Amino acid sequence: MGIHLTVRLGALAAAAMLTLGACGATAGKDDAKGGGKGGTLTGLRIMVPNTPGGGYDTTARTAAKVMADTKIANTVQVFNLPGAGGTVGLQRTVNEKGNGKLAMQMGLGVVGASYTAKSKARLTETTPLAKMIEEAGAIVVPKDSPYKTIGDLVAAWKKNPKKMAVGGGSSPGGPDHLLPMQLAKTVGIDPKQVNYVSYDGGGELLPALLGNKIAFGASGFGEFLDQVEAGQIRVLAVTSAAPIDVLKDVPTLKASGVDLVFTNWRGIVAPPGISQDDKQAWIDALTRMHDSKEWKAELAKRGWTDSFVTGDQFGTFLTQQDQAVAGILKQLGLA
């Protein structure tokens, strides 16, 4: 069963595999019966379940800006509710049953955290709206790191994996945790020997990396583009199957002799029990956003891969991810 970490689960898979006011995504007066097609939605809020500056935060704020700039929605409020790897936000979303104005930005990290944090709430309880993007991971080091290539890093890591701390912007079970576990397994390190330090999103991971509190970081490359361009961080390798346009000089793991491909994904869900009209209004708005030239420009700018699917199709994918991640974490003794 493939997990769209898109991790080609490689050796590991082989070994294991508040009530927010009146509800309803209300459209403007020019809209047909509030469905959202062609009209302007009002009062929408997107919750980000971790700290500002990370991948979820960037994705949500980019989507909100595009929807506002294209008049798909009036100003979309984005707010952060961090904690427990995203499961504080997940619980809030589930508790907001019937609230058609609220949505939560999420992805693979929240799927894993729902198990490792032993959350009572499950993503399968939410209303799936849209899977939006995929993003390759990256192995990154601060500018003064002694490791100039992924080969240098792996050689040192294999000598003493417990000594070399690797940081990620997700809790155990999230993509930034699964990536170094996959990498370790691929290069012959027992994943149980990996010294993984969890940070609540890229906003917390970045200062730890810049402050040399960790030897290297594993996260979505998009979270570090500004720092890469400023020369503060070096990317040793990306985890995609092909090179990334915005990081043209950075090799893939496979090109560096490490047989691993890993891709994270992000989507958006609503609370359970929202009306069909509200669900369709959100899906129509997100579809119009996805089809806009402004969103396409953001995809290119940030190196995101378009992976847009909505509604029931996203729901099926989400259920498959939930089952696959649970299986992997059980094999690692984390669920």
Side-chain angles (χ1 to χ4, degrees), residues 34 75 80 100 126 132-133 153 176 190 195 236 248 268 285 287 294 299 316-317 320 325:
T75 302
N80 299 78
T126 65
M132 300 166 71
I133 63 164
L153 178 74
D176 293 2
D190 181 353
N195 179 9
L236 299 185
K248 292 181 180 179
I268 190 165
T287 300
E294 289 84 355
L299 293 176
T316 298
F317 171 82
Q320 292 169 344
V325 170

Side-chain angles (χ1 to χ4, degrees), residues 167-186:
S170 62
S171 61
D176 293 2
H177 170 252
L178 292 171
L179 171 52
M181 296 301 162
Q182 280 285 101
L183 180 59
K185 187 75 175 178
T186 303

Side-chain angles (χ1 to χ4, degrees), residues 31-32 34-39 41 67 72 129-130 276-291 308 310:
D31 185 35
K37 284 188 177 179
L41 299 179
M67 282 195 283
I72 293 168
L129 297 176
Q276 185 59 39
D277 282 350
D278 286 339
K279 177 181 177 180
Q280 195 60 49
W282 270 107
I283 290 174
D284 288 344
L286 291 168
T287 300
R288 289 169 61 198
M289 180 206 73
H290 165 262
D291 293 342
F308 192 74
T310 63

Side-chain angles (χ1 to χ4, degrees), residues 7 19 24 71 76 117 119 122 156 168 250 253 256 292 312 332:
V7 180
T19 306
K71 311 300 183 186
V76 180
S119 171
R122 285 280 178 265
V250 177
L253 286 174
S256 304
S292 71
D312 292 345
L332 290 173

Side-chain angles (χ1 to χ4, degrees), residues 83-109:
T87 58
V88 171
L90 174 60
Q91 185 66 66
R92 163 75 173 273
T93 302
V94 171
N95 289 349
E96 291 282 349
K97 182 177 181 179
N99 186 348
K101 288 193 175 185
L102 178 68
M104 181 180 75
Q105 183 71 62
M106 48 71 69
L108 180 59

Side-chain angles (χ1 to χ4, degrees), residues 50-55 168-171 176 199-206 219 223:
N50 55 18
T51 55
S170 62
S171 61
D176 293 2
Y199 296 92
D200 195 359
E204 290 190 1
L205 173 61
L206 181 60
S219 190
E223 302 192 25

